[in-house]
């Protein structure tokens, strides 16, 4: 299964632009082949990479993000997520919500959705 298979056959859009904002659907910690990425930091980075792929569909970039929501299957990922956030975003950093869930599709351990400003 490829990333195209995983992301293109959904009843929703990867990203939607309205009212000057881009709303990015949840992006899983999967590789470009659709397999769950093992490892803690690696899974967080994979979810960010997939989120950036979806954001790019609407012409956006990581620097446009104003809000992220992390869904994780292990709440102890919070410290790694904090370090990732500090590494990826300059001050002032985007708003963030961090939520533990019981499971995610495709065996993923992280899912991230985002709100970003739309580029003119």
């Amino acid at each position: 299964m490829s990333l195209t298979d995983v992301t293109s056959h959904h009843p929703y859009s990867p990203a939607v632009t309205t009212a000057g904002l881009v709303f990015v659907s949840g992006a899983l910690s999967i590789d470009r082949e659709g397999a769950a990425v093992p490892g803690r930091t690696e899974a967080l980075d994979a979810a960010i990479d997939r989120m950036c792929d979806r954001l790019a569909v609407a012409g956006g970039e990581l620097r446009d993000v104003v809000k992220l929501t992390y869904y994780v299957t292990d709440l102890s990922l919070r410290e790694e997520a904090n370090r990732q956030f500090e590494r990826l975003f300059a001050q002032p950093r985007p708003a963030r919500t961090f939520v533990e869930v019981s499971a995610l599709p495709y065996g993923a351990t992280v899912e991230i959705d985002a709100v970003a400003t739309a580029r003119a």
Side-chain angles (χ1 to χ4, degrees):
M1 177 183 322
S2 71
L3 183 61
T4 301
D5 295 334
V6 172
T7 60
S8 67
H9 300 339
H10 296 297
Y12 56 84
S13 298
V16 174
T17 303
T18 186
L21 295 172
V22 179
F23 295 86
V24 182
S25 296
L28 297 165
S29 57
I30 57 175
D31 63 22
R32 293 193 178 275
E33 301 304 314
V37 172
R40 296 168 64 87
T41 302
E42 297 84 357
L44 287 162
D45 287 343
I48 283 287
D49 290 346
R50 300 297 73 77
M51 189 275 300
C52 287
D53 292 343
R54 290 179 174 209
L55 180 58
V57 168
E61 298 177 8
L62 191 60
R63 67 183 176 171
D64 302 322
V65 172
V66 295
K67 169 74 167 76
L68 287 161
T69 302
Y70 283 67
Y71 303 92
V72 298
T73 58
D74 181 352
L75 201 55
S76 74
L77 284 169
R78 188 169 181 270
E79 288 307 314
E80 284 98 330
N82 286 343
R83 286 192 296 275
Q84 179 190 59
F85 223 63
E86 290 171 344
R87 179 172 38 93
L88 294 177
F89 298 104
Q91 294 278 2
R93 293 185 179 95
R96 185 187 82 183
T97 302
F98 197 82
V99 179
E100 184 177 38
V101 297
S102 62
L104 291 166
Y106 307 106
T109 57
V110 179
E111 182 172 7
I112 299 174
D113 67 21
V115 178
T117 55
R119 293 178 172 257

